[in-house]
Amino acid sequence: MTTPRVYDATSAVEAVELARSGRKESYAPVERIKVIEVETFPSLGKLTALRFIEWVLKNPGGVVSLPTGKTPEHFIKWVLRLCERWDAKDTRALLEAHGIDGRARPDLGSLSFVQIDEFYPMDAQQENSFNWYVNEFYLRGFGIPAEKALLIDATALGAPPGCRMQDVFPDGVVDLSLRVRPGRTELERLQKDAIERADRFCMEYEARIRELGGIG
């Protein structure tokens, strides 16, 4: 069994932002999860980008899994901005203000990426698939090598040989009750087989993540 990786999770960025917020990280006994409050959604993207850059500098070659959809829009823009303007005075000032040592650039290409979710069934070439998003914004966008990415291609995931996904799930609906009951029709039996194949893929996928030492 692969030994889990140990990452440096210390953060000057979080300490700076917490102090700036003027609030405690949690208020016992009502709150048990630590929180850093920011004023706007774009500010959250900026803060997250700074924290990510800080983490990459402390953990080169680490394994990451990053969000998809509209949520990380500002995060992605700020990561690219910081990396592209690393030597600019305003970037240097921003890094210094958040306690980040900017002498060395973050090596995003050293990272390994793990995709942790996907719509099912979903063609990986569709622009609303997470696979497409990861390839577009994190592999090509951040420069993380494709060969260091663990991805989920649900285009034909679970479909028996010779079958297309539209043959297995013609209406695009996956009845998960087939996990625990027998199929009543030929189509349901085909769907049950596909679901069981997909479940086996997921178990093997989790094992591959553990082989990487886990996600940072």
Side-chain angles (χ1 to χ4, degrees), residues 17-18 20-21 23 35-48:
E17 286 299 321
L18 182 62
R20 182 175 297 169
S21 73
R23 298 178 63 83
V35 174
I36 297 176
E37 295 183 28
V38 294
E39 294 182 355
T40 65
F41 185 61
S43 297
L44 178 61
K46 180 180 179 180
L47 168 60
T48 309

Side-chain angles (χ1 to χ4, degrees), residues 13 16-17 20 46-47 49-50 78 81-82 88-100:
V13 172
V16 168
E17 286 299 321
R20 182 175 297 169
K46 180 180 179 180
L47 168 60
L50 286 164
W78 269 102
R81 174 189 171 92
L82 291 170
K89 288 184 178 180
D90 58 342
T91 301
R92 290 291 183 175
L94 184 61
L95 295 173
E96 183 177 350
H98 286 82
I100 298 176

Side-chain angles (χ1 to χ4, degrees), residues 67 69 76 80 127 132-143:
I76 292 171
L80 294 175
E127 292 188 8
W132 182 91
Y133 191 103
V134 168
N135 273 283
E136 180 69 16
F137 294 104
Y138 293 135
L139 303 192
R140 285 188 286 271
F142 282 10

Side-chain angles (χ1 to χ4, degrees), residues 140-156:
R140 285 188 286 271
F142 282 10
I144 299 175
E147 60 270 19
K148 298 181 69 176
L150 193 57
L151 303 179
I152 302 170
D153 185 345
T155 304

Side-chain angles (χ1 to χ4, degrees), residues 45-74:
K46 180 180 179 180
L47 168 60
T48 309
L50 286 164
R51 180 66 184 97
F52 176 68
I53 291 294
E54 178 186 42
W55 186 90
V56 174
L57 287 169
K58 292 185 176 185
N59 300 280
V63 180
V64 300
S65 183
L66 299 172
T68 54
K70 292 185 178 180
T71 303
E73 175 184 353
H74 294 284

